Amino acid sequence: MTREQVEAVLKGIKDRYLDQDIVSLHQVKDITTEAGKVAVRVVQGYPAGSYRDELADEINAALAAAGVSDAQVSVETQVSAHSVQKSLKRKNGIKNIIAVASGKGGVGKSTTAVNLALALSADGASVGMLDADIYGPSQPRMLGISGQPESSDGKSLEPMQNHGIKAMSIGFLIEEDTPMIWRGPMVTQALEQLLGDTNWGDLDYLVIDLPPGTGDIQLTLSQKIPVSGAIIVTTPQDIALLDARKGLKMFEKVEVPILGIVENMSMHICSNCGTVEHIFGEGGGQRMAEQYGVNYLGGLPLDIKIREQVDNGNPTVVSDPDGTVAQIYKDISRKASARLAQKAKDYSTKFPTIKIMNV
């Protein structure tokens, strides 16, 4: 087959998480045809985990159906850095910061954030988690991390680690039952220090678990932290959606792309009879996504196991990696990171620094 014929075959194969063919997405980086052999190299801009093998099998099957008897197909991942707010610069070593937010508390934002971070890590990315909820830090318990971070130079902190990801939280620096009675400027400064004074190393993604709400603190943080994209977590009922819309609008005002909406507690499946009940309503997140022209990333069930697993420091993605709920988290993380991969890239580190000197 000629290169053009191979490319025509590949145009019939869609990326599941972007719903476009891999040629139009510019994922096909190399095609060689020589002596009856065909080699195809595909590079995805997001961590796809086991889907890489599925995609390779699909390409092999399509080439075989087209008459290719000897094909070599490789599917790789290359995560790039993407642009942030115009007034800010990307943090050195951190390719992308993803903010997970909600308009109000109690919708499962922190649980969603930690499972999405673990899903990105499980799919092959280097990931960090920053707990930005100064008043109510929950990530230390959810990640099963205790103790205090170390400092080798007295100025910076080494991140805590568990389940393959790095983490930092004010919860590591105070007693669990100590209240943070701080005003807005102190909270903002503390968060900037947790982000800037932590030795994160090289990360593909830093997931930030933002505090709930859309007040002065959230707006200030959104203006000072270089964010590549945001995920909005809501529940289906109207009162939660009202606040979720405010969160979405906040990110739009500070020019942070919305990667999508996650509907938590979307339904309850009875453990005895299997009956599906929409306790908090049905389809609210989907309607909100359609209304604002953003992506609906998926819905998660109201499941007692999700709560038990994070309370025990072993979130669903690591405690039951092959389970149905873990797969939902992985699908959501792939959809979000795939959408981010389509955003404008940050080339600031590619250009040399120009210095003007008087001689």
Side-chain angles (χ1 to χ4, degrees):
M1 296 181 72
T2 65
R3 178 188 175 88
E4 289 74 20
Q5 289 173 319
V6 172
E7 191 171 281
V9 173
L10 298 179
K11 284 183 178 179
I13 297 175
K14 285 187 175 183
D15 183 300
R16 178 190 303 165
Y17 296 101
L18 287 168
D19 199 30
Q20 294 183 52
D21 72 86
I22 60 176
V23 175
S24 299
L25 290 169
H26 305 292
Q27 291 183 354
V28 180
K29 301 301 181 182
D30 191 28
I31 299 174
T32 59
T33 57
E34 184 179 352
K37 298 180 180 180
V38 173
V40 176
R41 178 171 171 260
V42 175
V43 177
Q44 295 176 301
Y46 65 97
S50 59
Y51 177 56
R52 289 195 299 269
D53 293 334
E54 293 178 42
L55 182 60
D57 290 342
E58 187 178 352
I59 294 171
N60 272 310
L63 291 173
V68 177
S69 58
D70 190 353
Q72 289 184 334
V73 178
S74 67
V75 180
E76 308 165 17
T77 295
Q78 289 183 4
V79 178
S80 299
H82 293 84
S83 59
V84 298
Q85 303 96 308
K86 293 179 182 177
S87 59
L88 301 176
K89 290 185 178 180
R90 184 170 57 85
K91 296 289 183 183
N92 289 334
I94 302 175
K95 292 181 180 178
N96 303 286
I97 294 180
I98 298 176
V100 180
S102 64
K104 68 192 300 292
V107 299
K109 168 188 53 63
S110 295
T111 300
T112 302
V114 70
N115 274 294
L116 293 184
L118 291 168
L120 289 168
S121 176
D123 278 345
S126 56
V127 182
M129 164 62 75
L130 176 61
D131 188 352
D133 196 345
I134 302 297
Y135 294 125
S138 55
Q139 292 302 336
R141 171 164 291 204
M142 289 185 171
L143 284 168
I145 301 176
S146 59
Q148 292 188 330
E150 297 180 353
S151 175
S152 57
D153 57 6
K155 297 179 181 179
S156 58
L157 295 171
E158 297 299 322
M160 307 293 277
Q161 297 190 48
N162 197 21
H163 302 313
I165 68 174
K166 300 176 181 179
M168 183 52 66
S169 169
I170 195 72
F172 296 140
L173 306 173
I174 61 172
E175 295 296 329
E176 192 174 43
D177 57 354
T178 301
M180 301 303 296
I181 310 174
W182 287 356
R183 293 190 181 275
M186 295 177 66
V187 174
T188 302
Q189 184 179 1
L191 181 59
E192 287 187 90
Q193 287 185 290
L194 289 177
L195 174 62
D197 295 343
T198 299
N199 296 323
W200 294 106
D202 293 326
L203 295 177
D204 293 320
Y205 303 97
L206 176 65
V207 177
I208 299 188
D209 179 13
L210 285 178
T214 55
D216 177 67
I217 295 173
Q218 287 78 10
L219 184 59
T220 302
L221 297 180
S222 299
Q223 292 172 330
K224 291 191 174 184
I225 296 177
V227 180
S228 299
I231 296 172
I232 306 294
V233 180
T234 185
T235 47
Q237 71 266 41
D238 291 341
I239 193 68
L241 291 166
L242 284 173
D243 292 325
R245 289 184 175 92
K246 295 175 184 177
L248 187 148
K249 287 292 185 181
M250 179 190 74
F251 283 113
E252 285 184 345
K253 287 184 177 180
V254 295
E255 299 181 329
V256 172
I258 305 296
L259 301 178
I261 295 171
V262 176
E263 186 180 86
N264 201 24
M265 308 180 203
S266 185
M267 82 291 287
H268 174 257
I269 303 174
C270 179
S271 57
N272 292 323
C273 64
T275 301
V276 176
E277 294 180 303
H278 297 277
I279 297 174
F280 297 113
E282 184 177 1
Q286 180 81 57
R287 290 192 297 273
M288 178 180 164
E290 293 172 356
Q291 178 183 355
Y292 290 97
V294 298
N295 303 302
Y296 177 69
L297 299 176
L300 290 153
L302 179 63
D303 191 327
I304 190 173
K305 290 182 180 178
I306 298 177
R307 194 273 304 165
E308 291 174 342
Q309 288 156 348
V310 292
D311 279 355
N312 293 328
N314 292 289
T316 305
V317 171
V318 292
S319 62
D320 187 17
D322 298 322
T324 301
V325 176
Q327 187 56 53
I328 295 174
Y329 280 121
K330 288 179 181 179
D331 281 343
I332 291 172
S333 74
R334 291 170 189 173
K335 287 177 184 176
S337 57
R339 294 295 175 184
L340 178 56
Q342 297 304 103
K343 304 296 182 184
K345 295 181 181 179
D346 177 22
Y347 294 105
S348 58
T349 58
K350 302 292 184 181
F351 298 102
T353 301
I354 300 174
K355 294 182 179 181
I356 301 175
M357 303 176 65
N358 293 324
V359 179

